[in-house]
Each structure stands twice: as C-alpha cells, then as structure tokens.
Amino acid sequence: MEVLKIATAGSVDDGKSTLIGRLLYDTQSLTVDKLEAIEKSSKQKGYDYLDFSLATDGLVAEREQGITIDVAHIYFSTAKKSYIIADTPGHVEYTRNMVTGASTSQVSIILIDARKGVIEQTYRHFFINNLLRVKEVIVAVNKMDLVDYSEEVYNKIKADFQALNAKSTFKEQNVSYIPLSALTGDNVVESLGGMPWYTGQTILQHLEALEPADVYEKGKARFPVQTVIRPKTEQYHDFRGYAGKLYGNNIKVGDAVTVLPSLTQSVVTNIHFFDQQFDEAAVGSSITIELENDINVTRGDMIVKSSELPKVEKDINTTVCWMDSKKLVPGAKYFVQHNTNRVLAKIDSVKNVIATDFSGTKEASQLAINEIGEVNIKLSKAIYFDAYNDNKSNGAFILIDAATNTTAGVGFIR
C-alpha cells in the first residue's frame, strides 16, 4: 500500500492538534482507550464536544521537556493509503523542528486561523516548505465556524496567501486551499454543509486523490549502499548482494551502472525485494541488487547509472539550518553525514542569514540556533552529490558535532 508522508505546520492555537485528532477519529484510527480518555477529559473540562487535541496531548508534554528534535510521527490508514503525519511545534523557537519534520515529507498542511489570517509564522512555515521543496502544500483555513463560515474571510486569506506564493518557487497548481472547522469536522473527512459555497475536496479527499507522480521526486537514480549481503550458506554460497534504498528514479535489470567513488563499472543482473525478484525497482524501494561481476563495493559507496554521474567535489556551497545552541562559526569542525557516507568537515565561511519571510538575506559571519544561512564547507575527502534542487536525497546532509555526536545542523547543497 502506498505510504504518504505529511508534515503539519501552524502557529500556536491554530488547531493543528485538533485537526490531527479529528482525522484520526473520523478515519476510526483512535484506539478504544485513547477515545475513552478523550471523552473523559472533555467531560471533566465541561466541554459539550470531544476535544480532539487531546489525541496528541502527550506530544505537547514532550516538547515542554525541551527535547531538541522532538518531531512526533502519527500513523493512520484508509482503504487507499497509509499516512504518516510528522507533528511539529509551531513556535518560532522551534524552526529547526519543522525543518526536521518537513525534510522527509511529500505533503505539507499549513494551518491558518480564519480570525487571524496570514501572519509571520505563516511566512516562516511556507518558506521552509519552499526551501525543502515539499511537492504539495495544503493551506487549511481553520476555525471557519468562528467567523460564521464567511466566504469573504476565506477569499481574503486565499488572496493573501497567493500573493505570498508569488514570491516562492511553488507552482500555483501545487498549492491547494481548503476552508474547514477541525472542531466540528466540516471539510476534514466529509463536507457537513456548513460552507455550501465551497465545492472543492475535503482534506482527506485531497490526500486520497494525490497520485505518486504528484508527490514523489523524479530525477537521477541514486542507490547508497547500506550493507553488503553475503549469506555464507551452502545454497547461496556465491551470492553477493548490495542492499539499500533507491532514490531519484527507477532502476532495472540490464542497466549499466557505476560504483562511486571507485568509478568501477558493471551491469545490474538481479533485483531482490525480500524473497521475490523483479526486473525493475521503483523509486523509494528498499531492495538488494546483484551486479554482473565481483567488484569491491562497501557500505558508504553509491551505485548510479553510468549515464547519470553526480558531481564529485571536496568544497561545497550549502544552505544550513542551524540546530545547536553553540553558534556555527568559520573554522569549526564537524562530521558531514551524507547518505551512508561520513566525512570530516571544516566550516570555511558563513556568508549570510536568510530571512524566512522571503525578504532576502543579510550579511553574517555566524549562525545562531534556528537561523538559516549560506555556508561554505571544506571536506577532508570528496563526496558524490547532486544539488538539492536536482535530487533531494543526494543533496541533503546533516552536520554532527564530533565532540558530542549530536546533530548540530541540517544542510542542502546548492
């Protein structure tokens, strides 16, 4: 079954937790004990409705403990798809958390309070989605019940967001607008008739209608080797397979491939998925491939089509979102984790800080926590990469503090 990864974003009290809880409730994805807890707590608070924000209440408690990267993942399924929601906090001081949640998502839901309209946090959330090249954005204009389901209010917010979208690289057809009330459930899973002037899809209908071609990246095939499989059994005595996850595009039996960094060439002879064999593997598949000849391939190597070689360089120009309380300064040393490859790196220079409201950059020589800026990095050895705009999986990396082994930042090669 197809799995769709969704990131949610919204300012404090925009109703993000209520929306997630409502989705879980209306798709019958809440466990009996969780539903009973919501009913009990809602009654104790004197509500005459179920407070679905309680479905994610435990996650709020985690955030209050000050966890550094505390993206929570929530799972639910329908007959058509399985969904993973990356639930991230909306506070400005948690910009890094949203980057973490959105980095692996194909769809983002940006909530806007109908009473407040487009605000500073909306700009920041949309900027991050634009930076991370999330394929589809749903602008969920929530709390329509508190503005008497006004079409005029909705149209004003939509026009304001369209003006914001004009500053981004998003195409208009990849941004959808849905008015809703997460509290009542109107236009979340079903239309309840509160907004007869809106004839579009509900949130769930829109998610269900998205095809893989709409949300999955297509580019050049990249296969970072996670492990080499040698069973050492009598039946598979001569078997040598290379396991990993396929990014960018499909790969098939008969493709001429090159192993990096050795530049050794070979041909794909077999593709395995568990105990089955296929002539072609789709992008996003976790597979094991066999090659025509016995060559030296190890974890950290990358297999690519011979006609689609990536760049190989030791100096990289990047955009970095800084996540550490210790500032990022020139001369500092970190490990760059790029796919399965870990390389010692030195910060050559910090060029600027990028404003998250699309207003441009300002000159800077360091990055503080939650800031995003352009950074030049020198590596101890060359890596094989693509620009993030050309291939997300092969253009992203993380910076690891060598002393503490913590994730200090996430970067995107320009």
Side-chain angles (χ1 to χ4, degrees):
M1 181 180 286
E2 180 189 348
V3 177
L4 191 64
K5 297 179 181 179
I6 307 164
T8 58
S11 299
V12 181
D13 296 329
D14 276 354
K16 182 166 54 66
S17 296
T18 302
L19 174 62
I20 295 172
R22 171 62 72 174
L23 272 171
L24 296 175
Y25 178 76
D26 286 355
T27 56
Q28 299 180 343
S29 301
L30 286 173
T31 58
V32 174
D33 60 330
K34 191 68 171 179
L35 184 56
E36 288 176 350
I38 290 172
E39 292 172 343
K40 181 180 179 181
S41 180
S42 298
K43 187 177 295 185
Q44 288 174 342
K45 292 180 179 181
Y47 297 156
D48 58 358
Y49 57 86
L50 293 180
D51 182 7
F52 291 113
S53 67
L54 299 173
T56 57
D57 215 22
L59 310 177
V60 176
E62 289 181 10
R63 291 177 189 136
E64 290 174 350
Q65 295 173 26
I67 297 173
T68 304
I69 300 176
D70 55 352
V71 178
H73 292 90
I74 299 160
Y75 304 81
F76 74 99
S77 297
T78 65
K80 291 184 178 180
K81 285 187 179 79
S82 290
Y83 297 92
I84 303 174
I85 300 178
D87 182 30
T88 60
H91 299 72
V92 60
E93 62 267 32
Y94 293 120
T95 298
R96 65 195 189 278
N97 302 63
M98 190 191 166
V99 171
T100 304
S103 62
T104 57
S105 299
Q106 294 106 19
V107 181
S108 180
I109 301 175
I110 299 179
L111 272 80
I112 296 176
D113 188 326
R115 300 168 300 173
K116 301 175 183 177
V118 175
I119 60 175
E120 179 187 357
Q121 274 294 76
T122 311
Y123 278 69
R124 180 174 292 104
H125 294 151
F126 189 54
F127 175 86
I128 291 172
N129 279 285
N130 185 67
L131 174 67
L132 298 181
R133 294 179 57 246
V134 176
K135 293 293 289 291
E136 289 278 331
V137 169
I138 299 173
V139 180
V141 183
N142 191 26
K143 302 193 178 182
M144 290 297 295
D145 54 309
L146 299 182
V147 294
D148 297 324
Y149 299 103
S150 170
E151 182 180 8
E152 182 181 356
V153 170
Y154 166 75
N155 285 338
K156 173 66 167 60
I157 293 172
K158 181 177 179 181
D160 288 345
F161 201 98
Q162 286 174 326
L164 173 60
N165 189 27
K167 301 177 182 180
S168 77
T169 59
F170 273 102
K171 296 179 180 178
E172 189 60 41
Q173 61 265 32
N174 295 117
V175 181
S176 304
Y177 303 87
I178 301 176
L180 60 93
S181 169
L183 185 64
T184 67
D186 206 348
N187 283 343
V188 177
V189 171
E190 297 179 353
S191 173
L192 303 181
M195 293 163 277
W197 44 265
Y198 174 75
T199 57
Q201 296 173 316
T202 67
I203 291 282
L204 185 62
Q205 286 170 348
H206 185 81
L207 296 173
E208 296 275 81
L210 288 174
E211 298 293 338
D214 297 328
V215 295
Y216 289 105
E217 177 190 26
K218 284 289 187 179
K220 297 175 181 178
R222 301 292 184 244
F223 187 72
V225 177
Q226 290 282 354
T227 187
V228 179
I229 297 178
R230 295 294 308 275
K232 298 293 187 181
T233 62
E234 185 173 342
Q235 183 179 0
Y236 299 101
H237 181 74
D238 296 320
F239 183 90
R240 182 190 294 267
Y242 310 105
K245 186 172 182 179
L246 179 61
Y247 298 95
N249 214 324
N250 297 359
I251 198 167
K252 61 180 183 294
V253 171
D255 280 343
V257 295
T258 298
V259 179
L260 300 171
S262 66
L263 295 177
T264 309
Q265 296 187 339
S266 190
V267 175
V268 177
T269 56
N270 290 296
I271 299 174
H272 302 268
F273 181 75
F274 289 105
D275 58 347
Q276 297 178 297
Q277 286 188 229
F278 295 90
D279 292 330
E280 185 171 6
V283 59
S285 302
S286 294
I287 55 173
T288 300
I289 67 174
E290 290 182 83
L291 300 180
E292 187 175 58
N293 46 341
D294 282 341
I295 55 179
N296 185 23
V297 182
T298 62
R299 172 180 166 82
D301 289 352
M302 180 179 288
I303 298 174
V304 302
K305 293 181 181 178
S306 297
S307 59
E308 299 177 348
L309 296 180
K311 298 176 183 177
V312 182
E313 295 180 15
K314 293 176 67 175
D315 295 349
I316 53 177
N317 184 27
T318 73
T319 300
V320 170
C321 175
W322 195 240
M323 300 177 170
D324 201 352
S325 56
K326 180 174 65 177
K327 292 182 179 179
L328 178 68
V329 297
K333 293 182 179 180
Y334 295 90
F335 285 114
V336 163
Q337 183 74 47
H338 176 251
N339 289 320
T340 54
N341 207 1
R342 181 172 291 196
V343 180
L344 186 63
K346 178 181 178 181
I347 305 303
D348 184 46
S349 65
V350 177
K351 297 171 65 177
N352 56 46
V353 172
I354 303 172
T356 56
D357 60 359
F358 293 91
S359 61
T361 63
K362 63 178 180 180
E363 190 174 339
S365 59
Q366 60 186 17
L367 290 183
I369 189 169
N370 287 314
E371 287 187 329
I372 300 171
E374 293 183 38
V375 179
N376 291 327
I377 301 176
K378 290 184 177 295
L379 307 173
S380 60
K381 67 176 183 179
I383 60 172
Y384 17 97
F385 65 90
D386 298 283
Y388 186 77
N389 284 344
D390 297 329
N391 191 300
K392 291 174 65 173
S393 61
N394 201 38
F397 63 91
I398 60 173
L399 287 167
I400 300 172
D401 189 309
T404 63
N405 207 37
T406 57
T407 299
V410 59
F412 314 97
I413 304 175
R414 299 170 67 87

